[in-house]
Amino acid sequence: MTSTYDVVVLGAGSGGYATALRASQLGMKVALIEGDKVGGTCLHRGCIPTKAMLHVAETVDAIKEASRLGVKASFEGVDMHEVGRFRDKTISRLHKGLQGLVKSRKIDYIQGWGRVISPNTVQVGSETYQGKNLVLATGSYSKSLPGLEIEGRVITSDQALQLDWVPNKAVVLGGGVIGIEFASLWASLGTEVTVIEGLPHLANNEDASVSKGLERAFRSRGITFKTGTMFDSVTQTGNSVQVKTQSGDTFDADLLLVAVGRGPRTKDMGFEDIGVNIDRGFIPVDDHLMTNVPGVYAVGDIVPGLQLAHRGFAQGIFLAEYLGGLDPAPLVEHNIPRVTFCEPEIASVGLTQKQAEDKFGKDGVKVTEYNLAGNGKSQILGTGGIIKLVAQKDGPIIGFHALGKRVGELVGEGQLMVNWEAFPEDLAALVHTHPTQDEAIGEAGMALAGKPLHS
């Protein structure tokens, strides 16, 4: 039996369910197909459980630092079984809410593993679902390195989130977002952490000022890291691992966390059989997110670019509105905000200083950095860090970069100034509430406009 729809979405992660919700809202008949659970990696194995665990780490840090505030408190340890209950209850509440939302929008939710059998048809078991438009939203998986088996004490973030114990020592392979967040989490819980990264810096895709500031902060927290260092091999016994690098370093630990990024989930799903072009696992798309096959679209982690849940949401909404006959504004990849939830946090949107100078020349770029040491709320919170703004000379602000406790909450204003092409004078004229960390953005704006107050 074949059911027909305006839109058939394969995959109910961030990009897939956003497409389905918005398309239904616009009056389209929608089928949403998922073999696992609605919410995908972000809700069940990524963003939400990781941030729940990082909140636990933040609480541990607060207890350890309580004496600085004159509060008498002692840290007695972490009950990882209760931590797991907190994490899972958070996921469960959000999952139930999302299930109810999908049901309320009258979306046909099909539970089962789908395979594409034609440019407009997905098969699930003995049933087929046909759509005027087919949206591929199958997400990503935790990658490893060639020849490096994920087994035993060699784990990815999937297994790390399910640990019911805190390692005494851990080696993290990869200094990107996932590796940094787990290094920060474990260090807060008392683990001796070593990060191995092949690129020159931790958070190497961020502005150089932020990367270097993070490295200083990690050193002060006792987190060891080796940058510009390539992994060689790992051997494991029943209760330990020994990690070797190509430069000859050896590290003994309880675990090796492989955090070298996420790969697109596109293999053996029938995509290539219907002629969809796949490049190194990813699916290239045009400005309207259509693949090379007319009527077949792709959103989320399988599309080359930033692998972020909110990018998937945005793409899903954009695509649904386009299919619904609206004229949504195109997405600008580098103007999507990014946050790494380590301690201290990283938040950024737009071009780094180097990217801006490569594009406009050194003389065509103006930069300012405001040190959070001069911000009252940052002093109360006990955090250092920076707010950095990058602007075209005599032009708009094109980059926002922040490092410090809770700066992820500031990226909203950073996104607005970059995407609305605010000039430094526009930002400097705004009144920022005192005492907040948001004030630091105002101070940076005033400095960039040539009238610094406290800097």
Side-chain angles (χ1 to χ4, degrees):
M1 179 179 175
T2 300
S3 302
T4 59
Y5 298 86
D6 295 309
V7 183
V8 172
V9 184
L10 180 58
S14 304
Y17 84 70
T19 305
L21 291 175
R22 186 66 177 126
S24 175
Q25 194 175 52
L26 293 172
M28 287 176 263
K29 185 180 180 183
V30 182
L32 180 61
I33 301 169
E34 173 59 57
D36 192 3
K37 297 177 182 177
V38 63
T41 294
C42 172
L43 177 55
H44 299 284
R45 296 176 298 281
C47 314
I48 298 302
T50 306
K51 277 58 188 180
M53 300 289 285
L54 284 161
H55 178 60
V56 172
E58 183 182 34
T59 303
V60 170
D61 289 338
I63 295 170
K64 291 179 178 179
E65 295 168 3
S67 61
R68 179 179 69 87
L69 311 179
V71 176
K72 295 180 179 180
S74 60
F75 176 63
E76 298 179 4
V78 175
D79 183 336
M80 289 300 291
H81 292 285
E82 286 301 310
V83 168
R85 281 167 54 85
F86 162 68
R87 177 198 64 223
D88 294 344
K89 286 170 77 172
T90 303
I91 294 168
S92 179
R93 284 193 296 268
L94 291 170
H95 183 220
K96 288 177 181 176
L98 189 52
Q99 287 175 306
L101 188 58
V102 169
K103 186 176 181 180
S104 72
R105 295 283 174 85
K106 295 181 169 47
I107 294 166
D108 284 356
Y109 181 70
I110 294 96
Q111 180 74 50
W113 297 105
R115 182 178 177 82
V116 177
I117 59 174
S118 82
N120 65 354
T121 308
V122 177
Q123 183 172 9
V124 182
S126 60
E127 303 292 322
T128 55
Y129 303 87
Q130 195 172 84
K132 296 176 186 176
N133 303 284
L134 172 60
V135 181
L136 310 178
T138 46
S140 61
Y141 63 93
S142 295
K143 289 198 303 185
S144 185
L145 297 176
L148 179 56
E149 295 296 324
I150 304 300
E151 59 182 6
R153 290 177 177 264
V154 179
I155 63 175
T156 68
S157 58
D158 291 352
Q159 293 81 39
L161 284 168
Q162 297 301 317
L163 289 177
D164 58 4
W165 55 284
V166 178
N168 291 318
K169 292 184 179 181
V171 175
V172 177
L173 181 56
V177 173
I178 298 171
I180 288 169
E181 289 187 346
F182 272 96
S184 181
L185 162 64
W186 279 337
S188 294
L189 299 184
T191 304
E192 185 181 320
V193 182
T194 300
V195 182
I196 298 172
E197 170 56 56
L199 294 173
H201 293 286
L202 300 180
N204 199 73
N205 290 332
E206 297 292 340
D207 188 271
S209 297
V210 169
S211 296
K212 292 174 183 177
L214 176 71
E215 290 174 353
R216 287 193 295 271
F218 268 26
R219 286 191 195 98
S220 70
R221 295 185 60 195
I223 299 173
T224 301
F225 54 90
K226 297 285 186 178
T227 56
T229 302
M230 302 303 292
F231 169 82
D232 181 66
S233 64
V234 59
T235 56
Q236 57 178 312
T237 64
N239 57 9
S240 67
V241 296
Q242 185 175 81
V243 180
K244 294 182 179 180
T245 68
Q246 293 183 10
S247 56
D249 294 317
T250 300
F251 303 96
D252 295 312
D254 301 322
L255 293 170
L256 169 63
L257 172 64
V258 181
V260 293
R262 298 189 63 84
R265 196 180 297 278
T266 55
K267 189 177 180 182
D268 298 328
M269 293 187 175
F271 301 167
E272 290 175 293
D273 295 340
I274 65 167
V276 172
N277 181 34
I278 295 181
D279 181 12
R280 289 169 291 183
F282 292 95
I283 301 179
V285 294
D286 66 13
D287 290 342
H288 295 117
L289 300 173
M290 189 169 75
T291 70
N292 63 301
V293 178
V296 180
Y297 300 82
V299 298
D301 285 359
I302 60 176
V303 176
L306 296 169
Q307 291 179 310
L308 299 169
H310 48 280
R311 173 186 181 245
F313 292 145
Q315 287 181 331
I317 294 167
F318 170 89
L319 178 55
E321 293 182 350
Y322 172 72
L323 296 177
L326 304 181
D327 187 24
L331 300 174
V332 179
E333 189 81 11
H334 66 258
N335 283 356
I336 296 172
R338 308 172 295 275
V339 179
T340 303
F341 294 88
C342 50
E343 173 54 43
E345 286 184 355
I346 298 170
S348 59
V349 60
L351 301 180
T352 65
Q353 180 177 348
K354 183 179 185 306
Q355 289 169 336
E357 290 176 349
D358 288 345
K359 185 173 183 179
F360 301 108
K362 288 189 176 183
D363 293 337
V365 175
K366 190 175 181 181
V367 175
T368 190
E369 282 188 23
Y370 180 78
N371 194 315
L372 291 182
N375 177 261
K377 187 58 178 287
S378 297
Q379 284 293 305
I380 292 168
L381 294 175
T383 184
I386 60 168
I387 300 293
K388 180 173 182 176
L389 302 180
V390 181
Q392 284 182 252
K393 186 177 181 182
D394 302 321
I397 298 168
I398 54 178
F400 167 88
H401 308 277
L403 175 72
K405 189 185 294 290
R406 302 185 187 177
V407 296
E409 303 301 326
L410 304 181
V411 79
E413 185 173 356
Q415 177 185 201
L416 292 178
M417 73 176 76
V418 171
N419 280 279
W420 286 353
E421 299 180 339
F423 277 60
E425 294 77 16
D426 298 326
L427 178 59
L430 299 177
V431 178
H432 290 77
T433 310
H434 176 76
T436 63
Q437 287 188 294
D438 191 48
E439 267 189 299
I441 296 177
E443 293 281 356
M446 292 180 72
L448 198 60
K451 51 177 185 179
L453 187 62
H454 292 100
S455 59

